[in-house]
């Protein structure tokens, strides 16, 4: 069983016992280590978020499995300690960078910025003891999504809970291996590749003089090839 502390909640998760007899689970909580415990929920899943908590207080949890035959013994105890977390974290995307900003948190002397390449973490601390309510994460690869949380270092000591997650996506790479070829008498076929880990939106432009281009399509990166129709016979076109 694992307890993850957040602002105003404690998230519990556990592994179902190896015997397949469990039909659901009983979540129990106490304000004192070792109990006595009170039932706060029954849950058919292997996770529960306790939102009936007060930041700064300690909570002690055990979980038991049950089925129509009976109830198992309690699991080992885990401790929850919800804490304040920075609010209104916003990630603004840019070229090879993501700019983060958040609201000041009461009781925080400084902040820690954490990043992950997958939603929900795990997060790596990329900046500690940040004195401002903003941070610029620069030097990032293009065309990728990054997931951020921020925590506060408390003036009373210790670290607060992680904020809600914010996501930033860096500007995409330029398309590569771009090919334009005749597809039919008055049609062309365009194809290209991308090095982005996220699916970009591609803007296709056409010109008859190679200088002035007009948009002829806005399509997701996976929509390839792109067919251009109604081209004039014996004309030269640039894409």
């Amino acid at each position: 069983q694992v307890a993850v502390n957040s602002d105003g909640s404690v998230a519990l998760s556990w592994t179902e016992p190896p015997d397949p007899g469990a039909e659901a689970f009983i979540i129990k909580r106490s304000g004192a280590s070792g109990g006595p415990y009170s039932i706060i929920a029954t849950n058919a899943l292997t996770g529960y978020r306790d939102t009936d908590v007060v930041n700064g207080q300690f909570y002690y949890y055990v979980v038991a499995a049950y089925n129509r035959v009976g109830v198992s013994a309690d699991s080992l105890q885990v401790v929850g300690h919800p804490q304040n977390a920075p609010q209104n974290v916003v990630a603004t995307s840019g070229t090879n960078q993501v700019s983060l900003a958040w609201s000041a948190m009461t009781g925080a002397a400084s902040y820690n910025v954490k990043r992950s390449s997958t939603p929900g973490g795990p997060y790596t601390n990329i900046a500690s003891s940040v004195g401002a309510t903003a941070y610029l994460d620069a030097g990032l690869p293009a065309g990728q999504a990054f997931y951020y949380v921020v925590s506060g270092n408390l003036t009373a000591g210790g670290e607060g809970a992680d904020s809600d997650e914010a996501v930033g996506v860096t500007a995409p790479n330029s398309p590569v291996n771009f090919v334009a070829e005749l597809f039919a008498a008055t049609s062309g076929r365009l194809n290209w590749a991308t090095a982005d880990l996220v699916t970009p939106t591609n803007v296709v432009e056409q010109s008859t003089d190679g200088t002035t281009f007009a948009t002829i399509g806005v399509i997701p990166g996976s929509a390839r090839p792109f067919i251009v129709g109604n081209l004039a016979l014996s004309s030269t076109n640039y894409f």
Side-chain angles (χ1 to χ4, degrees):
Q1 185 184 354
V2 177
V4 177
N5 301 310
S6 298
D7 190 346
S9 69
V10 176
L12 303 172
S13 61
W14 56 89
T15 302
E16 189 170 354
D19 60 287
E23 296 176 357
F25 298 88
I26 302 171
I27 299 94
K28 307 176 187 179
R29 184 184 71 192
S30 175
S33 179
Y37 304 100
S38 299
I39 295 174
I40 59 172
T42 56
N43 194 339
L45 304 176
T46 54
Y48 178 76
R49 182 175 293 274
D50 185 10
T51 58
D52 185 21
V53 295
V54 176
N55 284 346
Q57 294 190 14
F58 287 91
Y59 299 88
Y60 303 87
Y61 299 91
V62 293
V63 176
Y66 75 90
N67 59 20
R68 68 195 68 187
V69 177
V71 180
S72 74
D74 291 339
S75 68
L76 295 176
Q77 175 183 275
V78 295
V79 182
H81 189 208
Q83 296 278 5
N84 292 333
Q87 301 294 315
N88 306 316
V89 179
V90 176
T92 302
S93 303
T95 301
N96 299 115
Q97 65 182 33
V98 174
S99 177
L100 300 167
W102 55 90
S103 299
M105 187 183 92
T106 301
S110 61
Y111 302 92
N112 306 308
V113 180
K114 308 171 188 180
R115 182 183 68 204
S116 175
S117 59
T118 56
Y123 303 100
T124 299
N125 199 345
I126 60 172
S128 300
S129 301
V130 176
T133 56
Y135 179 76
L136 179 63
D137 188 15
L140 298 172
Q144 295 189 28
F146 297 93
Y147 304 86
Y148 298 89
V149 293
V150 180
S151 65
N153 296 311
L154 308 178
T155 54
E159 181 182 6
D162 289 340
S163 69
D164 290 338
E165 184 180 79
V167 58
V169 181
T170 51
N173 293 284
S174 297
V176 296
N177 302 327
F178 182 43
V179 176
E181 58 186 356
L182 191 63
F183 182 62
T186 58
S187 299
R189 177 167 56 195
L190 311 179
N191 214 334
W192 61 91
T194 177
D196 297 326
L197 295 183
V198 296
T199 300
T201 297
N202 292 301
V203 179
V204 182
E205 299 181 340
Q206 178 184 8
S207 172
T208 56
D209 60 11
T211 302
T212 304
F213 286 83
T215 298
I216 60 172
V218 179
I219 58 174
S222 58
R224 299 190 299 269
F226 183 82
I227 305 300
V228 184
N230 300 317
L231 299 176
L233 290 172
S234 301
S235 65
T236 299
N237 296 270
Y238 304 85
F239 301 95

